[in-house]
């Protein structure tokens, strides 16, 4: 199929959203040169979610872009109710697009009497009526297996690595803040052609971690710590401190999802970090904005828009990353 015909098939595509990140959705629609779908996602007086789609969607290929970021429960409920609405309105296909997949951290029973919320959310999305999932930098890639519908898993890696590539990287090292992040950090290391180091992080609870030693040579080098998300900021700040103790020079951070809850912004402001590059999968909250020049927001709208176009026109998504 040539490019002209591919673009023509986009006529039947429609993109809708709730309230979790309307600015990102506008940027995605700008990339695709289509308007944001016309829907009202409001509240009844008692706080229940009130959805009304204000245009015909019968037979359309629907993409609902809604990161399930804070307020997490509202974002998730809006998504589920939107999916239900489009199912009942006879759309042809519904793709739930979660640039950030919340509730992902509980992905296994690592102790007795705990839920697996990542699986519960997968069940809810599927049961509500989604036909496909498009998401980005899942906390654990195996969450894809919690779905029995097709899942496309994007990486923000091209956006963040392009940003850092513009610096003089001759004396840099890429750092994974824990062993779980080695695979993605290695991707940066290979792509940017710089060495890799790993921080030995131990987790003792949802907000409690400790770091011991660093594997790899960081002394006298600038470091880029790569992580999927910053929540309390504990992992990144501890990694930055231990790198400094081991003689690292300037410390940079690349993290996809800027959740930045609680006192995260304050911690990051006081940590020995020169710059933090995050993406717009989640809007920055007011505390995060107070970091000013220290935080740089990169957009993933083109990546998402391109992936949506490819899903709609049955083109490969993985080839978007192969040449990286
Ligand atoms: C851990 O496995 C993740 O990759 C992140 O490092 C972690 O979830 C970030 O959380 P926090 O900012 O609360 O340390």
């Amino acid at each position: 199929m040539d490019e002209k015909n591919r673009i023509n098939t986009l006529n039947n595509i429609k993109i809708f959203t709730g309230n979790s990140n309307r600015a990102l959705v506008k940027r995605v629609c700008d990339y695709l040169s289509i308007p944001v779908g016309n829907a009202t996602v409001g509240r009844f007086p008692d706080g229940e979610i009130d959805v009304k789609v204000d245009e015909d969607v019968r037979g359309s290929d629907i993409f609902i872009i809604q990161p399930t970021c804070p307020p997490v429960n509202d974002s998730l409920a809006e998504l589920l109710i939107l999916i239900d609405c489009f199912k009942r309105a006879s759309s042809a296909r519904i793709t739930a697009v979660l640039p950030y997949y919340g509730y992902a951290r509980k992905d296994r029973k690592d102790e007795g009497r705990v839920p697996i919320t990542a699986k519960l959310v997968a069940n809810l999305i599927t049961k509500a009526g989604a036909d496909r999932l498009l998401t980005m930098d899942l906390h654990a890639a195996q969450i894809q297996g919690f779905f029995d519908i097709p899942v496309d898993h994007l990486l923000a890696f091209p956006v963040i690595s392009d940003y850092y590539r513009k610096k003089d990287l001759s004396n840099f090292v890429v750092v994974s803040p824990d062993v779980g992040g080695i695979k993605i950090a290695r991707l940066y290391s290979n792509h940017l052609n710089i060495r890799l180091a790993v921080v030995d992080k131990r987790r003792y609870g949802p907000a409690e971690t400790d770091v011991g030693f660093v594997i790899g040579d960081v002394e006298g080098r600038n470091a880029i710590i790569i992580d999927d998300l910053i929540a309390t900021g504990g992992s990144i700040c501890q990694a930055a401190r231990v790198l400094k103790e081991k003689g690292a020079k300037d410390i940079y951070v690349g993290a996809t999802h800027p959740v930045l809850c609680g006192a995260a912004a304050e911690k990051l402001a006081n940590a020995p970090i020169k710059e933090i590059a995050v993406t717009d999968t989640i809007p920055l909250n007011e505390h995060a904005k107070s970091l000013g020049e220290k935080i740089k927001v990169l957009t993933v709208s083109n990546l998402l828009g391109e992936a949506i176009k490819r899903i709609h026109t049955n083109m490969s998504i993985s080839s978007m990353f192969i040449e990286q």
Side-chain angles (χ1 to χ4, degrees):
M1 197 189 292
D2 63 24
E3 187 62 11
K4 187 161 170 247
N5 282 330
R6 276 194 200 115
I7 301 297
N8 282 344
T9 63
L10 284 178
N11 289 340
N12 201 23
I13 194 171
K14 288 184 190 250
I15 293 185
F16 289 87
T17 185
N19 293 301
S20 62
N21 195 348
R22 298 187 80 86
L24 170 66
V25 178
K26 175 76 175 64
R27 288 192 276 272
V28 173
C29 287
D30 287 348
Y31 175 84
L32 293 167
S33 303
I34 60 175
V36 180
N38 209 353
T40 310
V41 183
R43 294 291 182 276
F44 287 107
D46 61 359
E48 288 180 0
I49 293 160
D50 179 18
V51 168
K52 173 82 176 92
V53 174
D54 299 311
E55 61 184 273
D56 181 25
V57 294
R58 188 173 290 271
S60 296
D61 192 9
I62 301 293
F63 291 80
I64 305 168
I65 305 177
Q66 175 86 338
T68 49
C69 55
V72 184
N73 299 333
D74 278 12
S75 299
L76 178 60
E78 285 185 1
L79 171 70
L80 297 173
I81 293 167
L82 278 162
I83 295 171
D84 181 76
C85 180
F86 287 107
K87 196 83 190 164
R88 294 173 195 284
S90 304
S91 60
R93 182 174 69 169
I94 301 167
T95 303
V97 183
L98 279 73
Y100 170 67
Y101 187 105
Y103 278 119
R105 272 174 291 183
K106 277 282 173 200
D107 60 0
R108 63 191 180 283
K109 266 188 88 170
D110 49 4
E111 57 181 313
R113 302 183 299 281
V114 293
I116 305 180
T117 54
K119 171 63 176 157
L120 172 64
V121 168
N123 286 347
L124 291 170
I125 290 172
T126 310
K127 193 72 190 163
D131 299 294
R132 309 181 59 92
L133 179 82
L134 172 62
T135 188
M136 181 173 279
D137 281 328
L138 284 167
H139 186 61
Q142 60 268 26
I143 292 171
Q144 293 170 74
F146 293 174
F147 288 85
D148 284 327
I149 54 175
V151 176
D152 289 300
H153 184 207
L154 306 178
L155 306 174
F157 153 73
V159 172
I160 296 175
S161 66
D162 273 3
Y163 177 73
Y164 278 119
R165 203 207 314 258
K166 290 180 189 125
K167 296 191 189 292
D168 172 10
L169 296 174
S170 51
N171 192 29
F172 269 72
V173 57
V174 170
V175 179
S176 172
D178 53 43
V179 283
I182 291 179
K183 197 173 167 202
I184 188 80
R186 190 180 295 127
L187 203 58
Y188 282 84
S189 158
N190 291 340
H191 190 57
L192 298 173
N193 198 21
I194 51 182
R195 292 182 194 199
L196 176 65
V198 183
V199 171
D200 173 46
K201 178 179 91 175
R202 312 266 161 94
R203 184 169 283 286
Y204 300 106
E208 270 177 81
T209 56
D210 196 10
V211 294
F213 55 89
V214 177
I215 306 162
D217 187 12
V218 298
E219 191 170 356
R221 297 179 194 279
N222 300 313
I224 308 174
I225 307 172
I226 296 294
D227 211 347
D228 60 329
L229 85 148
I230 306 175
T232 65
S235 305
I236 290 290
C237 293
Q238 281 180 341
R241 288 209 173 85
V242 78
L243 289 171
K244 273 281 173 197
E245 279 166 29
K246 304 293 177 196
K249 287 165 74 184
D250 290 340
I251 296 176
Y252 298 81
V253 172
T256 308
H257 309 298
V259 178
L260 269 71
C261 54
E266 203 183 324
K267 274 191 223 164
L268 291 167
N270 296 323
I273 295 172
K274 186 155 181 161
E275 191 180 345
I276 304 160
V278 296
T279 80
D280 59 354
T281 57
I282 296 178
L284 283 193
N285 61 37
E286 289 310 312
H287 297 295
K289 284 182 194 157
S290 72
L291 286 165
E293 290 296 300
K294 195 166 182 174
I295 194 160
K296 169 88 185 160
V297 182
L298 313 172
T299 187
V300 290
S301 55
N302 291 7
L303 262 183
L304 284 168
E306 183 61 28
I308 286 171
K309 184 168 118 183
R310 287 172 182 237
I311 289 169
H312 184 67
T313 52
N314 286 323
M315 288 170 67
S316 164
I317 300 274
S318 55
S319 61
M320 289 169 65
F321 299 94
I322 284 168
E323 59 271 22
Q324 297 298 326

